[in-house]
Amino acid sequence: GQNIDQPTEMTATEGAIVQINCTYQTSGFNGLFWYQQHAGEAPTFLSYNVLDGLEEKGRFSSFLSRSKGYSYLLLKELQMKDSASYLCAGTPQGGGNKLTFGTGTQLKVEL
Amino acid sequence: DVKVTQSSRYLVKRTGEKVFLECVQDMDHENMFWYRQDPGLGLRLIYFSYDVKMKEKGDIPEGYSVSREKKERFSLILESASTNQTSMYLCASKGTGAGYTFGSGTRLTVV
């Protein structure tokens, strides 16, 4: 299958930590990307996981478990500017350059 | 940094018109993609190209065609625009690295 599932919306408080989950059918994808997209703008690259485990990059970390078909994006010390849509995308098994995207998670950071 | 430029940010066209959306990248990338993005549906792949004059259908090619006469330019063509093609269109390019670089998008309205 080619579905990628993520929650539609999340709300969190400035300064807090939020985890955005992404699940997929394990037979479909090899690596997982996370992109950030502010309203009216292009998606921008955040992270790429092809091996299991946690990749940390400043306030943002991404985790992948290939056997479970599960990834998450962890955002720490939330700032108002983190309010955006977060897109999970998978690269196909066997290689290839097409990305399949989830529908995105709209994160709202509140005071 | 790779730059992907889409010729128009906003476009309004009439039903039945032939519409050209242009995308240019400046880093000699082999792979270029056209997606459309709609609320609740996420990014869906229309067409992609892995080399000059080469093209492959994505998930929703109906009503669209593409042209890649030069490596840096990938054009999306709506042969006869319809109201259900009102959407945000995103172009992306990819080289030998893992990630995509997106253009700023063209918001097309068909009236």
Side-chain angles (χ1 to χ4, degrees):
Chain A
Q2 298 288 304
N3 287 340
I4 292 182
D5 296 312
Q6 49 182 135
T8 305
E9 295 178 333
M10 297 183 73
T11 301
T13 305
E14 188 179 36
I17 299 172
V18 71
Q19 178 175 310
I20 303 174
N21 296 324
C22 171
T23 57
Y24 62 95
Q25 293 183 322
T26 56
S27 59
F29 303 106
N30 190 28
L32 260 289
F33 285 89
W34 284 96
Y35 282 83
Q36 180 191 60
Q37 186 179 25
H38 285 101
E41 297 182 12
T44 55
F45 171 81
L46 289 178
S47 69
Y48 176 54
N49 294 66
V50 66
L51 299 175
D52 290 351
L54 186 68
E55 297 262 350
E56 297 188 72
K57 197 184 290 184
R59 291 190 302 116
F60 292 7
S61 303
S62 57
F63 172 84
L64 178 66
S65 169
R66 289 171 294 171
S67 63
K68 295 181 179 176
Y70 170 65
S71 175
Y72 66 74
L73 181 69
L74 194 70
L75 291 77
K76 303 175 187 174
E77 301 169 17
L78 279 173
Q79 302 175 10
M80 298 298 287
K81 67 178 182 179
D82 297 330
S83 292
S85 183
Y86 290 86
L87 311 176
C88 177
T91 55
Q93 289 277 10
N97 293 308
K98 293 194 304 181
L99 282 185
T100 298
F101 285 82
T103 54
T105 298
Q106 187 66 44
L107 174 66
K108 184 178 179 183
V109 180
E110 299 179 328
L111 291 171
Chain B
D1 280 350
V2 177
K3 193 169 182 183
V4 178
T5 304
Q6 294 183 230
S7 54
S8 304
R9 195 69 191 265
Y10 299 95
L11 214 51
V12 180
K13 295 292 182 180
R14 294 192 181 278
T15 301
E17 274 193 79
K18 190 169 185 175
V19 181
F20 293 85
L21 302 184
E22 305 287 349
C23 176
V24 177
Q25 50 96 0
D26 65 359
M27 283 298 289
D28 204 35
H29 282 176
E30 293 79 19
N31 303 286
M32 296 186 75
F33 307 83
W34 275 106
Y35 285 84
R36 62 178 284 178
Q37 186 174 29
D38 301 287
L41 296 176
L43 275 81
R44 293 179 293 165
L45 181 64
I46 304 170
Y47 266 98
F48 67 103
S49 168
Y50 52 90
D51 204 348
V52 175
K53 297 191 185 295
M54 306 303 284
K55 61 185 180 185
E56 284 199 28
K57 294 179 180 179
D59 299 317
I60 52 163
E62 297 78 19
Y64 303 94
S65 62
V66 290
S67 172
R68 186 125 182 245
E69 295 297 317
K70 293 184 178 181
K71 194 173 188 179
E72 66 269 21
R73 185 180 296 270
F74 191 35
S75 303
L76 180 68
I77 303 155
L78 287 67
E79 296 291 342
S80 177
S82 64
T83 54
N84 64 12
Q85 292 178 311
T86 291
S87 187
M88 169 69 88
Y89 289 87
L90 288 163
C91 175
S93 76
K94 177 188 181 301
T96 53
Y100 281 20
T101 299
F102 283 90
S104 298
T106 296
R107 186 166 291 282
L108 172 67
T109 302
V110 183
V111 297

